Amino acid sequence: MNENLPPCPECSGVYSYEMGALYVCPECGHEWPAGGEAAAEAEAEPGGPKVIKDAVGNALADGDTVTVVKTLKVKGSPTGIKAGTKVRNIRLVDGVDGHDIDCKVDGFGPMQLKSSVVKKA
């Protein structure tokens, strides 16, 4: 056992070992990148920047253009938002119930969308 190996970030187990480019904890099975302790700690910090990803895993940013991937029902509208609708100039917000995109949809006006129903255009 090497005394310089970090403890497991998940269970704080001290029996971690190195396997290729990863550290492995035999107690809980957690794997994390070797040499990336600072990155792993920064990712685990609650005060760190939150990365919002679209339905296919692309990171979103303010001002991006996205495409709706499935037809959405809109309360008070007979048609809703059809799949393939482009939404320009989005803003990322900390919304309610997972609605983390603030935008203006043509024909519907301002609304909030979930990042899980859009993909980056």
Side-chain angles (χ1 to χ4, degrees):
M1 279 274 137
N2 185 354
E3 298 296 325
N4 296 331
L5 294 177
C8 176
E10 291 290 313
C11 70
S12 301
V14 295
Y15 299 110
S16 60
Y17 61 91
E18 206 167 354
M19 185 173 71
L22 296 175
Y23 289 135
V24 180
C25 175
E27 296 175 8
C28 70
H30 180 66
E31 298 177 349
W32 68 100
E37 298 90 21
E41 288 175 11
E43 189 176 297
E45 282 183 29
K50 183 179 176 188
V51 177
I52 297 176
K53 297 186 177 189
D54 65 1
V56 288
N58 298 322
L60 296 173
D62 286 344
D64 281 347
T65 298
V66 295
T67 304
V68 178
V69 295
K70 69 179 204 175
T71 302
L72 304 172
K73 294 180 183 177
V74 177
K75 200 175 206 179
S77 172
T79 58
I81 300 173
K82 297 196 187 292
T85 302
K86 282 197 173 191
V87 181
R88 292 172 177 73
N89 198 18
I90 65 168
R91 253 184 355 155
L92 302 178
V93 296
D94 190 23
V96 180
D97 292 332
H99 292 82
D100 44 13
I101 297 175
D102 197 19
C103 60
K104 188 174 184 180
V105 180
D106 290 338
F108 292 95
M111 64 177 50
Q112 289 189 339
L113 298 173
K114 291 184 178 183
S115 58
S116 60
V117 298
V118 299
K119 72 176 182 178
K120 196 170 185 178

